[in-house]
Amino acid sequence: NKQRICGRVVLVPGAPKAFTMEAPYADAAVQPGFTHAFVQSFFVILATEIGDKTFFIAAIMAMRHSRLTVWTGAVGALVVMTVLSTLLGHMAPLLLPKAYTHYAAVLLFLFFGVRMLREAKDAGEGASDELEEVELELAKKDDVESADALMADEEGGGGSSSS
């Protein structure tokens, strides 16, 4: 049960000041609802996950193992990571001053941004290692399927060999 007190949201009624945080929207009527937050987080995560390393890892694993098993594992891992990041995003501002969490977020964003730029620079102009591995795995799978089909044709065609 949240209470609005002078621009602050008290998460626990009667809690000390350390357990309160500034409301991002001063007027509750302007505050975006569930749909806005859901759509925004859905599309941001979708845009950042497509083409990510985990995207290629899931594709490679789906070639080697049951697709349902790989999908269940990937979704389960995403759920766990989402719960952990949501808890961290909720708890950090409660335990640390807002300025510290703001600067920590800025530093982490810069760190990971610079790291991604360095990886992109080192990758060169060719396809990524993950994409190359997926293409190689697909080529191997096609070769195996072609060989299996050829063997089935030879066995079913009645071709006999006698000495």
Side-chain angles (χ1 to χ4, degrees):
N1 295 308
K2 296 179 183 178
Q3 294 179 344
R4 188 167 179 274
I5 302 174
C6 300
R8 290 188 169 272
V9 175
V10 178
L11 299 176
V12 181
K17 188 175 180 179
F19 290 102
T20 62
M21 62 183 208
E22 293 292 327
Y25 300 94
D27 187 7
V30 190
Q31 185 173 1
F34 171 81
T35 305
H36 175 76
F38 177 82
V39 169
Q40 187 176 13
S41 61
F42 178 84
F43 284 110
V44 166
I45 290 172
L46 180 68
T48 57
E49 289 298 321
I50 297 280
D52 191 13
K53 289 179 185 178
T54 54
F55 178 86
F56 291 111
I57 290 169
I60 292 167
M61 292 194 67
M63 290 180 228
R64 298 179 183 164
H65 306 287
S66 162
R67 287 170 183 81
L68 180 61
T69 304
V70 172
W71 181 82
T72 304
V75 168
L78 185 59
V79 166
V80 169
M81 291 304 298
T82 302
V83 167
L84 289 174
S85 62
T86 303
L87 286 174
L88 179 66
H90 178 72
M91 295 302 292
L94 298 176
L95 300 174
L96 301 170
K98 186 177 179 180
Y100 291 163
T101 57
H102 173 75
Y103 289 118
V106 168
L107 290 174
L108 286 171
F109 183 77
L110 286 173
F111 171 77
F112 287 111
V114 168
R115 191 175 95 178
M116 286 178 60
L117 289 173
R118 284 186 181 161
E119 287 176 4
K121 181 182 173 191
D122 294 340
E125 295 180 16
S128 68
D129 293 337
E130 293 88 3
L131 181 58
E132 289 174 7
E133 187 175 346
V134 169
E135 289 174 345
L136 182 63
E137 197 66 37
L138 284 172
K140 284 181 186 177
K141 190 173 184 179
D142 288 343
D143 290 343
V144 169
E145 288 175 359
S146 298
D148 288 345
L150 184 61
M151 288 177 61
D153 286 345
E154 288 178 0
E155 290 174 2
S160 63
S161 60
S162 58
S163 40

